[in-house]
Amino acid sequence: ATLRRRSSGQVTSSSPRTPQHPSGMIAPAKTTAVTRVAALLTTIGIVATIASFTTPSASAFTAESPADVVATMYKTWSTTGFTKDNLPALITDDYKLSFACSPFVASCPALYKEYSGVDGFLEWQAATNAVFDFKSFQMVGIAPLAGTNKVLVEASFIPTLVGGKTTGERLHQVHEWTVVGTKVSSFSAYVKTADAGVQENLLEPSPASVVDAAFAQWAKGFTAENAAPLFSDDYVLDFTPPPGSAPPKSKFYGKYTGIAGLLEWQTYCSEFDFSSFKMEGRSAISPTEVLVEISYIPTLKSGKTTGKRVSDVQKWTVVGGKATAFKVWPGDYAAANDLF
């Protein structure tokens, strides 16, 4: 499986149960079953690194053990928070936290950058606390990577902004900490490719998320009101026949502009039965462009059909969180056009 490496906010723990901080966050436990972490790692494709996992006994945790050092980081965040006074005892002078954007994000929010040292850590804490609501964060499991100074943590959360905007779906990560002596020197996180960018997209929608939202709304039906947040005023929809093709027998095949043009094109869509429609895949090909492959069996509402599944390729252009252009290369224009 493909992975995207990125940083995450801090997490809290849910197992075993411990007293909750007034903020709603839960202080972490020292360890849980390593099998849970291993299972999650396997699902996101980190297989080679888990061979050296061990299940530490309670006696293995001391003030100097790497796992205890990491557990202290989560405990501090969920209780007192990090300050200029407590951080020097927790992180090295050259501590690095790379809060990097996913490549699926068109415009990276300002808080996504690399932070270093005590001042950088405090800057990151202030920036993320101002934007994200961390109440759903949980630290599910923690385990040292035997024979190394690495500690892996399983974390989960529902990406949510302070204002209440949320994805509504719990996301899982594996955090990797590097420990030097009794301090942490670096932090990284791994997420499934499918989850890459979902947190950033709450702040600034990616082209792919805009395309997904447009398809979801199209299935329900466009109106002037619900199309306005998704399409620009100068939006161009180009579903013209391929060069050299026979003239279109339906206005479904044409070029339309603006939201009014989108709504007009939608009326011609009603000639078709889209029950066989499938989105086969999509891929961001630039910071503003997304290619989508769809398939369907050209069929009219009357029941007349070609009987063959065809694939179209679409190119969406998204600027400033709205679709500005849509171009289609139909898989079998001639057969579909002959249905009319």
Side-chain angles (χ1 to χ4, degrees):
T2 304
L3 295 177
R4 302 290 181 195
R5 175 175 283 198
R6 52 168 291 189
S7 178
S8 167
Q10 305 95 331
V11 300
T12 59
S13 174
S14 62
S15 178
R17 292 289 180 185
T18 53
Q20 235 180 333
H21 185 256
S23 68
M25 297 173 286
I26 306 170
K30 289 184 177 179
T31 187
T32 59
V34 173
T35 52
R36 280 191 55 83
V37 183
L40 177 65
L41 286 168
T42 301
T43 64
I44 64 175
I46 308 178
V47 178
T49 59
I50 67 174
S52 57
F53 259 138
T54 59
T55 305
S57 64
S59 62
F61 286 91
T62 67
E64 292 78 27
S65 75
D68 232 27
V69 171
V70 170
T72 299
M73 291 293 291
Y74 291 108
K75 182 178 181 180
T76 301
W77 178 75
S78 65
T79 53
T80 62
F82 297 104
T83 67
K84 267 189 176 292
D85 295 326
N86 63 29
L87 264 180
L90 299 170
I91 67 174
T92 60
D93 292 339
D94 59 351
Y95 174 81
K96 297 294 182 185
L97 187 160
S98 179
F99 202 55
C101 266
S102 161
F104 295 107
V105 177
S107 179
C108 195
L111 64 88
Y112 287 87
K113 62 180 183 179
E114 184 172 278
Y115 299 85
S116 61
V118 170
D119 289 341
F121 195 111
L122 294 174
E123 180 189 354
W124 171 80
Q125 178 180 244
T128 54
N129 284 346
V131 174
F132 294 110
D133 180 340
F134 293 113
K135 291 186 179 67
S136 68
F137 277 63
Q138 295 179 337
M139 183 172 125
V140 182
I142 178 172
L145 201 55
T148 75
N149 61 345
K150 304 284 188 182
V151 176
L152 297 181
V153 172
E154 177 190 355
S156 75
F157 59 97
I158 301 171
T160 304
L161 301 186
V162 169
K165 186 179 180 182
T166 179
T167 65
E169 296 183 2
R170 187 162 288 276
L171 179 150
H172 287 263
Q173 291 184 332
V174 172
H175 295 173
E176 179 185 83
W177 296 81
T178 303
V179 179
V180 177
T182 59
K183 300 181 181 183
V184 295
S185 62
S186 67
F187 172 84
S188 298
Y190 298 92
V191 297
K192 298 177 184 178
T193 298
D195 293 330
V198 296
Q199 197 169 9
E200 299 98 308
N201 289 340
L202 283 175
L203 298 171
E204 297 187 26
S206 71
S209 68
V210 172
V211 170
D212 288 347
F215 272 107
Q217 191 57 62
W218 179 52
K220 301 173 185 176
F222 289 121
T223 65
E225 291 73 23
N226 64 38
L230 297 171
F231 300 91
S232 66
D233 292 339
D234 58 352
Y235 172 73
V236 177
L237 185 158
D238 186 354
F239 207 149
T240 51
S245 300
K249 300 176 183 178
S250 166
K251 291 184 178 180
F252 176 75
Y253 298 103
K255 182 179 284 189
Y256 300 89
T257 58
I259 291 177
L262 171 68
L263 297 179
E264 181 184 354
W265 176 77
Q266 180 178 241
T267 63
Y268 306 130
C269 289
S270 63
E271 299 172 311
F272 285 94
D273 177 347
F274 288 104
S275 58
S276 65
F277 180 94
K278 291 181 182 179
M279 181 189 283
E280 301 291 353
R282 62 165 170 73
S283 177
I285 59 172
S286 81
T288 60
E289 295 175 310
V290 178
L291 284 185
V292 176
E293 180 186 358
I294 65 165
S295 74
Y296 58 98
I297 301 171
T299 305
L300 300 184
K301 288 281 183 67
S302 65
K304 191 175 181 182
T305 178
T306 65
K308 285 186 174 183
R309 182 167 290 276
V310 299
S311 294
D312 290 356
V313 174
Q314 306 172 346
K315 184 175 78 171
W316 293 71
T317 303
V318 179
V319 178
K322 294 186 177 184
T324 60
F326 171 80
K327 171 64 179 174
V328 182
W329 289 270
D332 194 343
Y333 162 77
N337 192 43
D338 284 344
L339 291 174
F340 295 95

